[in-house]
Amino acid sequence: MTYFETKKYIKESLLQICKEYADYEAEKIMISVFGKDRKELSLCYREEAPDRSSEIEAIIKRRKSGAPLSYIIGKTDFFGLSLNVSNACLTPRADTEVICEKAIEFLKNKKCADVLDICTGSGCIALAVAANTDSLVDALDISEKAIEIAEKNAKGTFLQDKVNFSICDVLSDDFLKITKKYDLIISNPPYIPTKDIENLSEEVKKEPISALDGGEDGLVFYRRFLETLPNMLKKGGKIIFEIGYDQKEDMENLISKYGYKHEFFYDYSKNIRGVIIDV
Ligand code: GLN
C-alpha cells in the first residue's frame, strides 16, 4: 500500500467513532507510526509505505475500544508545543489554550515574572506560558507520574531552564509552607462534581479521575485557592482559573465573599472557561 492508501484505510476504520476527526486522527497515527512529520508525509503520499499493518491494526483496535488517541500515540499538540501524555495526566484540551492566552497577555510587558501553575498535569499551561513570555514558572502536581511527564515535556520543548516542577498536594499543609510570592498564579484544577464523573464520556473516563474530580460540588480546589493564593501574590499580581462551562454562578458566589475584582472569559467554543481575579 502507498502512504496515501494506508492513511485512507486508517481514516475509514476510524470514521464511525471519530466522525469529523477521523482524517485528523489518521494523520496523527501516520506521523507516529512512520516517524515522519506532517510535511515529510505530504511529500511521500504516492510512494509505497513499509508494512506496519500489525502496529496500525493494534492502534485502531485500542482507539475503537475508547482509549484516547493521545494515550495511544503518547503525544498531543497544545499551544504549538508537541507534548507527551500518558494515563497519568489529563490530555491537554484545546479549551485550555485560552487560559494560556490570558496569562501571556497579562505577562507580555513584564521582565522575569514569577508564575505559579497549580495542578499542572502534563505541564501544558506552565510550558505554554514559559515558551511565550519572559517568566520563570514553578508548577505543582500531586502526582509523581504526572510530574515525570511534565519534566519530560520541559526537556522535549527545551524549556527546562524556565520551569521548575515539584510534587505537592495543594490541599495538604505542605502547600502552606510556600513562602515565595508570584506575579501570576494559574490553575486548571479538577472541577467536575463527584456525582457527574460517572456521566462523562467513556474516553474522558479513561483519564485519571484525580485530575477531574473536584469534590462534592466541584469547587473544593477553588475554595482552597481563594483562601490561600492572595497571600502568595506580589502587589498587582493576578490569579487565573480555568472553570467548567456551567460554573460561572458558583464562582461568582465564591469570589463575592471576598469582594475581589474579577472578569470571566470564554473559550473558542463560546463557553465560559475561565476567570481572572484581582485581589
Ligand atoms: N475540561 C475537562 C473535561 O472536560 C475537565 C478538566 C478539569 O476538571 N480540570 O473533561
Side-chain angles (χ1 to χ4, degrees):
M1 279 210 267
T2 62
Y3 284 95
F4 179 78
E5 287 160 342
T6 310
K7 183 184 162 195
K8 187 161 175 273
Y9 170 74
I10 300 172
K11 179 179 169 179
E12 282 167 3
S13 308
L14 295 179
L15 213 50
Q16 216 182 343
I17 62 152
C18 301
K19 308 201 169 63
E20 68 270 33
Y21 297 108
D23 189 69
Y24 169 82
E25 294 208 3
E27 186 179 78
K28 291 279 168 205
I29 293 170
M30 293 289 289
I31 290 170
S32 168
V33 168
F34 293 107
K36 293 181 184 291
D37 65 24
R38 211 169 164 225
K39 189 156 173 234
E40 288 165 341
L41 257 186
S42 70
L43 295 173
C44 68
Y45 269 127
R46 285 167 199 277
E47 293 169 22
E48 202 57 27
D51 180 15
R52 297 274 195 280
S53 48
S54 54
E55 194 181 337
I56 290 172
E57 288 307 329
I59 292 176
I60 291 172
K61 192 166 162 214
R62 277 189 73 194
R63 188 69 188 95
K64 280 187 166 167
S65 75
L69 179 72
S70 53
Y71 288 177
I72 301 171
I73 62 177
K75 286 251 166 205
T76 197
D77 295 324
F78 181 81
F79 216 87
L81 302 172
S82 173
L83 300 181
N84 300 285
V85 288
S86 76
N87 57 5
C89 56
L90 215 63
T91 296
R93 315 284 204 246
D95 295 339
T96 300
E97 294 190 354
V98 289
I99 310 297
C100 305
E101 281 177 4
K102 294 287 171 189
I104 292 163
E105 198 181 305
F106 173 68
L107 295 166
K108 73 177 176 231
N109 295 321
K110 296 197 167 27
K111 288 261 160 264
C112 276
D114 287 306
V115 177
L116 178 65
D117 173 31
I118 312 175
C119 306
T120 194
S122 63
C124 59
I125 296 178
L127 293 167
V129 169
N132 291 285
T133 63
D134 181 16
S135 50
L136 290 171
V137 187
D138 291 333
L140 311 174
D141 202 279
I142 189 173
S143 156
E144 192 179 337
K145 288 223 167 87
I147 292 290
E148 273 170 25
I149 295 275
E151 276 170 348
K152 191 168 165 195
N153 283 330
K155 291 203 185 86
T157 51
F158 304 102
L159 290 163
Q160 65 271 43
D161 295 339
K162 295 186 76 180
V163 287
N164 172 30
F165 292 106
S166 329
I167 300 168
C168 181
D169 173 359
V170 296
L171 300 179
S172 78
D173 286 348
D174 281 350
F175 182 59
L176 305 175
K177 293 182 191 145
I178 298 174
T179 50
K180 188 166 165 184
K181 306 263 186 234
Y182 293 93
D183 296 281
L184 177 67
I185 304 181
I186 321 169
S187 187
N188 173 17
Y191 56 65
I192 313 276
T194 308
K195 65 173 171 13
D196 295 344
I197 299 278
E198 62 179 304
N199 302 324
L200 295 172
S201 72
E202 286 310 310
E203 203 170 312
V204 174
K205 275 197 272 186
K206 297 239 170 12
E207 303 192 75
I209 299 297
S210 59
L212 296 162
D213 189 342
E216 199 179 339
D217 59 1
L219 304 172
V220 163
F221 288 86
Y222 302 121
R223 272 195 206 93
R224 170 72 161 174
F225 292 159
L226 288 171
E227 241 347 277
T228 53
L229 300 188
N231 290 330
M232 297 166 71
L233 283 177
K234 292 185 198 171
K235 198 163 180 291
K238 289 199 189 209
I239 299 170
I240 303 180
F241 294 144
E242 175 168 325
I243 64 169
Y245 70 95
D246 54 358
Q247 285 177 320
K248 182 176 181 219
E249 210 183 311
D250 286 342
M251 279 308 291
E252 193 84 69
N253 290 338
L254 273 188
I255 299 171
S256 68
K257 283 192 195 141
Y258 298 87
Y260 300 141
K261 268 197 281 172
H262 59 282
E263 195 184 318
F264 290 95
F265 54 89
Y266 294 82
D267 62 23
Y268 308 135
S269 323
K270 306 221 164 30
N271 287 315
I272 286 282
R273 186 56 58 194
V275 59
I276 303 194
I277 306 171
D278 235 327
V279 302

